[in-house]
Amino acid sequence: MVSIRKERAADLTSRERLLDDAFGRARWRKTSQRLRHGRAPAEGLSFVAAEGGRIIGTARLWEVTCHAGRRALLLGPVAVAAECRNRGVGAALVRHSINAARRRGHRAIVLIGDASYYARFGFSSAKTLGLRMPGPFDPERLLGLELSPGALDGARGLLRADGRVLEPEIAASAA
């Protein structure tokens, strides 16, 4: 039986191995990684799917801002172990992440992903066309979901990392 729970420190090695298997080393060069680098995920919004004591899926949300401090969350990466795909684990992780973000009072989520997959959760590019990522990206894959009506109205500009910094030297250089 698959269960979804908050990520724990002890999950880190398994999570990183899962992400390497799913995305390869190229994951470190993705534009969305620029928003995650040196940052901690949003408080209480890192999840794993576990089955029989093994981590088989992961999803995290990160704080970002755009245009005059408008805040949102960035979803990703979402990954599922190859042998566990097509069982609904990824969809369960996305739904769990959305519901947890809503319960914590967040107003919007953005992501880079396949519109046909994420549409079932309510994501679309309708309100993200004015947003940019800090590097190359396909604008049609920049999707948004409003958790509060109007949260992405007029959203435009460059998405920027926000939230907790991991390493003290990064925090000092950002000040």
Side-chain angles (χ1 to χ4, degrees), residues 5-175:
R5 62 170 170 76
K6 285 185 180 176
E7 181 182 300
R8 302 175 188 143
D11 299 329
L12 183 62
T13 301
S14 296
R15 180 186 177 283
E16 289 301 310
R17 190 176 310 118
L18 174 67
L19 290 171
D20 282 344
D21 290 346
F23 300 111
R25 301 303 298 165
R27 72 184 174 103
W28 298 105
R29 294 188 301 273
K30 291 183 179 260
T31 297
S32 53
Q33 181 59 30
R34 294 181 189 185
L35 294 170
R36 297 187 292 258
H37 181 74
R39 300 284 173 169
E43 185 69 36
L45 295 175
S46 295
F47 306 103
V48 294
E51 183 175 55
R54 181 175 157 243
I55 304 301
I56 62 165
T58 180
R60 284 178 160 183
L61 290 148
W62 310 79
E63 295 177 54
V64 294
T65 59
C66 66
H67 184 61
R70 185 183 303 242
R71 298 180 64 132
L73 294 170
L74 174 70
L75 175 62
V78 176
V80 175
E83 67 278 7
C84 299
R85 292 183 190 142
N86 300 313
R87 292 176 37 199
V89 176
L93 279 163
V94 171
R95 281 189 198 93
H96 188 89
S97 298
I98 292 168
N99 290 333
R102 185 177 281 120
R103 282 191 306 273
R104 287 185 164 269
H106 292 281
R107 301 189 65 224
I109 301 173
V110 295
L111 61 82
I112 294 285
D114 180 6
S116 63
Y117 178 83
Y118 286 101
R120 71 175 104 171
F121 309 107
F123 286 90
S124 79
S125 61
K127 293 190 176 183
T128 58
L129 296 174
L131 295 173
R132 297 185 327 272
M133 294 289 287
F137 75 102
D138 179 350
E140 292 179 10
R141 292 177 55 84
L142 180 55
L143 309 174
L145 171 67
E146 292 181 324
L147 303 177
S148 297
L152 292 173
D153 285 354
R156 64 181 193 275
L158 181 67
L159 288 171
R160 298 180 189 277
D162 200 357
R164 300 173 298 144
V165 175
L166 285 178
E167 295 89 4
E169 58 274 2
I170 292 174
S173 67

